[in-house]
Amino acid sequence: MTKYVFVTGGVVSGLGKGIAAASLGLILKSRGLNVINQKFDPYLNIDPGTMNPCQHGEVFVTDDGAETDLDLGHYERFTDAALSQSSNTTAGRVYLTILNREREGGYEGGTVQVIPNVTDEIRKRILLPAQETNADVIITEIGGTVGDIESLPFIEAIRQIKYEVGIENCAYIHLTLLPYMKKAQELKSKPTQHSVKDLQGLGIQPDIIMLRSEMPVDFSTKEKLALFCNVATDCIIQNLNAKSIYEVPLMMEKEGLGKAVCKCLGIENKETNLKEWEKIVYKLYNSKKQVNIALVGKYTELHDAYLSVVESLTHAGIFNDAEVVIDWISSEKITGDAAAKKLLSGADGIIVPGGFGDRGIEGMIATAKYARENKVPYFGICLGMQIMVIEYARNVLNLKKANSTEMDKNTPHPVIDLMPDQNGVILGGTLRLGKYECTLSKDSIAQKAYKNPLIWERHRHRYEFNNVYREQFTKSTMKIAGINSERNLVEIVELDKTEKHPWMLGVQFHPEFKSRPDRAHPLFRDFIKASLEGKK
Ligand code: GLN
């Protein structure tokens, strides 16, 4: 029998519902339960794939190629489950399904309405993971804040569902803000009371209230909220600010979240095993070394735009016993060789992550040149790999105006070009997405890292290394270290040994989606290792 936990948010957005839901996933998993997290986003985009990363943060990609909300990254990193298309649903997708069905005559002349048609579709999607997997518990996070107009159908659906699956199989968690008034030296519970009233007005009585607070929540505040909100005092859980998100599950377990959820769901509160996780947090907080990594990109004003890259760097730091300090550099500031030298001279390693469009491209190319010439470890991811290829073409192969056709349609040397089957279509949902195999070349730094001749990684791109130029590169000192043999696509490039560069590698895929705190991704791990060695 699958059990269901619903996580809603109140008072303000940005409380870390995703981290809370992911933490719950981990602490239930640590009781031996099979847990799947999913997220429902009330906005009307079909998926976040076409949204500006500066607004919405990174697009997380699953094995099966779903472009999803960044919270899915937290879920995967905390619970180590591989999520899928069914793990993230937007209102847009729900409506698209319904409207297509209506056009096909699927409603047989009936009026199509929010209730029951939209709520039915949402309910169906909430139950989907239970049919696809053998999950004991499904944790469903509802994006947005209770009271938003657009989240109403989702709240109504999670209200209805308890009658479908049984009240005893559902638990409702409401996460709110408990503001601290400095002047009065008091935590204020009123916004939470109002938010819970809103939720009750929509027919949902929360079983557990989680309080985001910068101050420890005293017992009398808990009692007061318990009384006003009809919630048992041991189900009022404080959720304090943590130095690292990885500490949150440990704090939540200590606060009794796991116990409270088990009680609500009528499941045995088995002993937990969070030893490995404790080790991770200990290592994170007690690293002996430090390494400075310059992250050069075009969305640097919102760090969430590179969330999985940042987490992967942290994981690699944990592995290498080093704190990774990121220097966020907007590529537009790197206006030439002199600016590159000025802005990058403090970096032990340089990373150029993914991106779209031509803004800031020349700065990234100058960055790759600086890294190559000054023998600073360089890791190019997706666009960062394409940049590494363009830079090499221009400055080593002397193909002066080499470019990607994404940036310059008329370049005389399109070393990066549309994939043959893209047909020039550049709309939403036309990217090469999800997991693909890659065969690694013998004696490459990539193979040395993976210790495996055949790997698979997740992709999200439209452009590719142009095979017409392959020989020119390999005759020189750029090595093709990974190939998708099915379509003969170049997936990894690196500088060969004769260059005596410590570590310069670019990957067409996104390794950051597969890194885990206890299993640093091999490429991030070795990139940080090389950056640390360079320091000596
Ligand atoms: N814009 C490039 C492409 O579409 C790179 C994409 C990315 O970095 N994710 O191929």
Side-chain angles (χ1 to χ4, degrees):
M1 183 75 213
T2 308
K3 304 275 181 177
Y4 299 85
V5 180
F6 300 100
V7 182
T8 54
V11 182
V12 291
S13 60
L15 289 178
K17 249 186 306 159
I19 306 283
S23 299
L24 177 61
L26 171 62
I27 62 186
L28 292 181
K29 190 185 159 206
S30 78
R31 288 168 163 78
L33 294 163
N34 209 339
V35 187
I36 288 285
N37 282 79
Q38 63 176 342
K39 177 156 192 206
F40 285 77
D41 280 306
Y43 54 74
L44 288 176
N45 303 63
I46 309 297
D47 58 45
T50 54
M51 286 158 94
N52 184 343
C54 294
Q55 234 182 62
H56 190 261
E58 101 179 345
V59 174
F60 187 81
V61 180
T62 58
D63 283 351
D64 64 350
E67 296 181 272
T68 72
D69 186 76
L70 52 74
D71 277 333
L72 270 82
H74 292 310
Y75 302 162
E76 283 208 355
R77 285 185 284 271
F78 280 58
T79 67
D80 204 21
L83 300 174
S84 68
Q85 290 280 356
S86 65
S87 316
N88 191 197
T89 298
T90 68
R93 190 171 294 280
V94 170
Y95 278 94
L96 185 71
T97 309
I98 290 173
L99 295 177
N100 283 336
R101 194 180 293 145
E102 189 270 343
R103 289 291 87 178
E104 286 158 12
Y107 293 100
E108 294 170 3
T111 311
V112 185
Q113 293 177 299
V114 172
I115 302 171
N117 304 99
V118 172
T119 46
D120 279 358
E121 182 61 32
I122 296 171
R123 276 164 52 183
K124 202 172 102 194
R125 286 168 182 267
I126 291 173
L127 300 180
L128 213 57
Q131 289 150 18
E132 287 176 352
T133 62
N134 54 345
D136 299 310
V137 182
I138 295 179
I139 302 170
T140 305
E141 177 191 347
I142 306 294
T145 309
V146 167
D148 295 346
I149 291 176
E150 56 182 15
S151 62
L152 283 174
F154 292 93
I155 303 289
E156 170 60 12
I158 64 169
R159 182 194 70 78
Q160 292 174 359
I161 215 157
K162 70 175 170 221
Y163 300 102
E164 184 174 350
V165 301
I167 293 173
E168 67 286 4
N169 297 317
C170 293
Y172 295 86
I173 301 180
H174 193 50
L175 177 67
T176 70
L177 176 71
L178 198 67
Y180 180 72
M181 300 290 286
K182 253 199 197 126
K183 263 261 147 50
Q185 296 193 337
E186 232 184 341
L187 286 164
K188 290 295 185 189
S189 69
K190 193 69 92 193
T192 299
Q193 293 180 41
H194 280 295
S195 181
V196 170
K197 275 216 178 81
D198 280 348
L199 200 56
Q200 288 167 339
L202 298 170
I204 292 176
Q205 168 60 51
D207 300 295
I208 294 167
I209 297 177
M210 275 171 98
L211 302 165
R212 283 287 281 119
S213 170
E214 41 179 312
M215 291 286 169
V217 186
D218 51 289
F219 190 70
S220 69
T221 306
K222 285 189 179 179
E223 270 191 320
K224 186 167 155 192
L225 276 168
L227 186 67
F228 281 111
C229 301
N230 296 325
V231 173
T233 318
D234 60 352
C235 290
I236 308 267
I237 310 281
Q238 74 170 357
N239 181 346
L240 296 176
N241 295 348
K243 212 166 97 193
S244 156
I245 54 169
Y246 296 114
E247 198 187 339
V248 178
L250 301 177
M251 287 162 57
M252 291 299 90
E253 178 58 25
K254 235 199 224 141
E255 288 302 317
L257 177 66
K259 192 174 150 213
V261 170
C262 288
K263 186 178 92 175
C264 294
L265 294 176
I267 49 183
E268 190 191 340
N269 181 25
K270 288 204 187 118
E271 220 174 294
T272 55
N273 184 359
L274 286 164
K275 289 236 158 53
E276 284 307 307
W277 203 266
E278 280 162 11
K279 254 191 236 163
I280 292 166
V281 175
Y282 179 83
K283 280 170 96 176
L284 182 63
Y285 287 169
N286 294 282
S287 49
K288 291 184 197 74
K289 296 171 264 183
Q290 207 196 60
V291 64
N292 297 318
I293 301 298
L295 188 153
V296 182
K298 58 188 285 197
Y299 317 119
T300 44
E301 69 261 40
L302 183 69
H303 295 180
D304 270 0
Y306 303 107
L307 183 63
S308 292
V309 170
V310 174
E311 295 310 321
S312 303
L313 288 170
T314 304
H315 306 162
I318 293 173
F319 183 93
N320 285 293
D321 195 17
E323 181 195 354
V324 179
V325 179
I326 299 178
D327 186 10
W328 299 87
I329 301 175
S330 160
S331 55
E332 282 173 297
K333 292 218 172 101
I334 303 188
T335 46
D337 291 348
K341 193 168 171 214
K342 190 166 160 232
L343 290 167
L344 298 169
S345 59
D348 304 316
I350 297 171
I351 194 158
V352 178
F356 291 82
D358 62 359
R359 182 168 63 85
I361 287 301
E362 292 304 321
M364 295 178 199
I365 295 171
T367 299
K369 181 167 181 249
Y370 173 88
R372 185 176 53 78
E373 290 180 346
N374 293 283
K375 309 225 180 299
V376 181
Y378 174 97
F379 192 8
I381 295 178
C382 207
L383 179 63
M385 173 262 200
Q386 300 176 352
I387 293 292
M388 178 174 155
V389 169
I390 297 167
E391 187 279 320
Y392 191 87
R394 286 187 190 177
N395 301 320
V396 181
L397 302 180
N398 225 0
L399 305 172
K400 278 302 169 220
K401 285 187 172 159
N403 215 330
S404 158
T405 49
E406 180 182 9
M407 320 305 165
D408 177 5
K409 274 201 179 59
N410 305 314
T411 166
H413 306 293
V415 288
I416 304 291
D417 201 3
L418 274 183
M419 279 175 274
D421 52 358
Q422 290 283 351
N423 297 326
V425 182
I426 45 169
L427 302 168
T430 57
L431 295 154
R432 180 175 178 229
L433 289 166
K435 129 180 186 184
Y436 288 96
E437 261 181 13
C438 172
T439 310
L440 304 179
S441 312
K442 269 200 192 125
D443 298 327
S444 57
I445 37 179
Q447 205 210 15
K448 207 174 129 204
Y450 282 101
K451 298 185 181 71
N452 204 338
L454 187 70
I455 54 137
W456 59 266
E457 291 281 1
R458 298 180 194 172
H459 294 247
R460 180 171 183 255
H461 61 110
R462 198 171 275 126
Y463 295 81
E464 277 286 343
F465 184 97
N466 187 346
N467 278 333
V468 170
Y469 291 91
R470 200 138 128 190
E471 229 186 283
Q472 272 193 70
F473 280 86
T474 49
K475 264 195 192 150
S476 186
T477 59
M478 189 173 275
K479 190 167 171 160
I480 309 296
I483 291 284
N484 170 268
S485 39
E486 204 186 323
R487 290 174 63 192
N488 193 25
L489 298 173
V490 172
E491 310 280 41
I492 309 178
V493 295
E494 57 186 53
L495 288 188
D496 77 15
K497 285 185 191 113
T498 58
E499 283 278 356
K500 296 208 161 40
H501 193 288
W503 209 92
M504 186 154 188
L505 177 143
V507 291
Q508 188 54 81
F509 45 78
H510 289 274
E512 69 270 27
F513 297 141
K514 279 178 66 183
S515 185
R516 301 289 176 261
D518 57 340
R519 234 175 28 249
H521 189 284
L523 294 178
F524 279 93
R525 185 197 66 207
D526 285 9
F527 166 64
I528 291 296
K529 185 167 170 255
S531 304
L532 277 162
E533 280 166 3
K535 243 183 137 87
K536 285 181 227 149

